[in-house]
Amino acid sequence: MKKHILCHHISEYEIQFFDVDSMDIMWHGHYVKYLEMARCAFLEEIHYTYDVMKKQGYAWPIVQLNVKYIRPTLFRQKICIELSLLEYESSIRMDYVIRDALSGKKLTTASTTQVAVEIASGEMQFQTPACWRSAVENHPSFKTEQIS
């Protein structure tokens, strides 16, 4: 079954020396940092950064993270992270595909789920705030209808 992608964003990065092990392979824990960088680039693009979230009174903790390592990512390798927003009304669910920027080969797949937590009360919200939904819906790539 094909996933319904609501929004799409692509970021490019070069793997830095401080992220690799003695074999010049990116250490598995650093992939999360690159996912976060791609997520922050998307949030910047929709003008709903973590600063805005905080001002609106919400924190957005990660409640689930999945990573599948397919091929090693190497020092100085240029990568492309394709982010797809799959859910935005009850949580923030994103899928990621990390590819080699030159060949397009798939290196890693991942997904994250975040939930809104009202900072004042500490209570998880079962529906995301209207300010978040509005930011997503105003993104140029937003699609409400599933494309087959």
Side-chain angles (χ1 to χ4, degrees):
M1 187 165 147
K2 192 170 184 175
K3 294 180 181 180
H4 182 139
I5 297 172
L6 298 163
C7 288
H8 191 255
H9 176 82
I10 297 175
S11 301
E12 291 190 15
Y13 305 98
E14 182 176 326
I15 304 306
Q16 301 298 307
F17 177 74
F18 48 78
D19 288 334
V20 300
D21 61 19
S22 61
M23 302 297 288
D24 285 342
I25 296 171
M26 185 158 67
W27 178 66
H28 69 277
H30 287 305
Y31 284 78
V32 176
K33 174 174 54 178
Y34 285 84
L35 300 179
E36 180 71 24
M37 289 171 16
R39 189 166 51 253
C40 285
F42 171 70
L43 294 173
E44 188 77 37
E45 192 172 87
I46 66 169
H47 309 292
Y48 198 80
T49 62
Y50 287 112
D51 293 333
V52 172
M53 292 176 185
K54 190 175 179 180
K55 284 179 189 172
Q56 297 288 337
Y58 297 98
W60 292 84
I62 298 278
V63 295
Q64 187 170 359
L65 165 71
N66 295 296
V67 182
K68 181 179 180 183
Y69 305 98
I70 300 166
R71 290 184 176 89
T73 306
L74 307 171
F75 174 52
R76 292 195 187 272
Q77 185 172 14
K78 289 179 177 38
I79 62 168
C80 182
I81 302 178
E82 301 168 8
L83 176 152
S84 298
L85 180 66
L86 304 177
E87 171 59 46
Y88 78 112
E89 294 175 306
S90 64
S91 63
I92 301 175
R93 223 167 28 101
M94 296 181 182
D95 275 359
Y96 311 81
V97 177
I98 301 176
R99 296 183 186 278
D100 177 82
L102 298 175
S103 70
K105 286 185 179 177
K106 190 183 292 186
L107 305 171
T108 306
T109 59
S111 65
T112 57
T113 302
Q114 294 172 259
V115 295
V117 173
E118 187 180 56
I119 294 171
S121 67
E123 292 184 16
M124 184 175 78
Q125 306 299 295
F126 293 103
Q127 184 176 12
T128 58
C131 49
W132 159 253
R133 293 191 308 276
S134 176
V136 169
E137 290 166 359
N138 286 318
H139 187 272
S141 74
F142 180 72
K143 295 179 184 98
T144 57
E145 297 173 8
Q146 187 159 355
I147 298 169
S148 38

